[in-house]
């Protein structure tokens, strides 16, 4: 709504506040049709105001004190929601309530209950989140939350793909440097490093095969990224 945009977008886009996407729950990974977080209308509150209860896991930047507020976008179910993924709605649930004038109000009961450890992500906390009657407002249409969330999810997936390519390339470069430096045994086709006690392991066929496989993954992924970027340019222009 225009009111939601006015309340949240200025400070989200300026970086004064940060945001999250709260999808996954302990009992369901990518099968969001099993989602249990519930949203109940708040009596006497403006239309579209709900009290949310549930648990989320793997929430990137789910809790921190870098910014004054964190704006959580949470998937949940309304009381009359149909079963499965067609019964999921989207809600904006701030860490601190936002007053009409943009100032911060009460702390919402949405807390970090533990930290996950994920490869490659060390710049933010990947948090387990407990939502215990936190007040939020509906974003978009009831039961259409998954489609709304995937507007962001698809963009995030492209970004994560790029991160993965970076990790793959760095892993290959480090492995290549190690294989040139580490010495062990002699080459099957005769001594290669006559000045050393053994040959560098890059001379061994199986090591070369593993390095070439890693190189192929990195170069293939780079080609795919460039192709995706071309498609994005075409789509936008």
């Amino acid at each position: 709504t225009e009111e939601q945009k006015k309340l949240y977008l200025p400070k989200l886009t300026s970086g004064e506040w940060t945001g999250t996407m709260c999808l996954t729950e302990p009992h369901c990974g990518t099968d969001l049709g099993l989602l249990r977080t519930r949203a109940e209308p708040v009596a006497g509150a403006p239309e579209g105001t709900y009290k949310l209860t549930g648990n989320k896991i793997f929430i990137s930047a789910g809790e921190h004190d870098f910014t004054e507020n964190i704006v959580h976008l949470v998937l949940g179910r309304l009381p009359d929601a149909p079963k499965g993924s067609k019964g999921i709605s989207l809600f904006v649930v701030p860490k601190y309530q936002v007053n009409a004038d943009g100032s911060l109000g009460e702390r919402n009961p949405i807390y970090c209950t533990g930290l996950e450890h994920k490869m490659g992500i060390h710049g933010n906390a990947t948090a387990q989140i407990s939502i215990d009657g936190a007040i939020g407002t509906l974003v978009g249409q009831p039961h259409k939350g998954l489609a709304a969330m995937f507007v962001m999810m698809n963009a995030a997936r492209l970004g994560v793909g790029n991160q993965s390519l970076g990790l793959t390339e760095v892993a290959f470069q480090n492995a290549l440097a190690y294989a040139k430096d580490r010495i062990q045994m002699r080459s099957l086709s005769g001594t290669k490093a006559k000045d050393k006690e053994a040959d560098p392991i890059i001379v061994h066929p199986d090591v070369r095969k593993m390095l070439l496989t890693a190189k192929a993954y990195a170069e293939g992924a780079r080609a795919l990224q460039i192709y995706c970027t071309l498609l994005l340019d075409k789509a936008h222009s």
Side-chain angles (χ1 to χ4, degrees), residues 5-19 71:
K5 291 178 188 177
K6 184 180 170 186
L7 276 183
Y8 299 110
L9 288 183
K11 291 195 175 181
L12 277 173
T13 54
S14 70
E16 291 171 83
W17 296 350
T18 55
V71 182

Side-chain angles (χ1 to χ4, degrees), residues 118-235:
K118 294 175 77 174
M119 173 185 156
I121 301 182
H122 302 290
N124 66 40
T126 303
Q128 300 167 12
I129 297 288
S130 175
I131 309 168
D132 189 17
I135 302 298
T137 54
L138 181 69
V139 178
Q141 300 298 312
H143 318 316
K144 303 287 185 186
L146 208 51
M149 188 70 98
F150 266 86
V151 174
M152 290 179 294
M153 279 296 295
N154 287 337
R157 282 170 168 169
L158 293 172
V160 170
N162 216 12
Q163 275 186 322
S164 303
L165 169 58
L167 291 170
T168 300
E169 177 63 33
V170 168
F172 166 67
Q173 289 182 20
N174 286 337
L176 180 63
Y178 178 78
K180 289 178 177 178
D181 183 63
R182 170 73 188 268
I183 60 170
Q184 190 167 314
M185 305 173 71
R186 290 296 184 186
S187 168
L188 290 173
S189 58
T191 301
K192 296 293 184 286
K194 294 179 181 176
D195 58 327
K196 295 179 180 175
E197 294 178 274
D199 286 330
I201 61 173
I202 196 167
V203 304
H204 302 314
D206 203 44
V207 172
R208 296 178 73 82
K209 184 184 82 171
M210 288 188 286
L211 287 171
L212 284 167
T213 299
K215 182 179 169 73
Y217 283 145
E219 293 187 358
R222 192 178 305 282
L224 183 60
Q225 276 298 69
I226 293 168
Y227 177 61
C228 287
T229 305
L230 177 64
L231 293 178
L232 285 170
D233 283 350
K234 285 184 176 180

Side-chain angles (χ1 to χ4, degrees), residues 57 72 133:
I57 58 171
H72 299 283

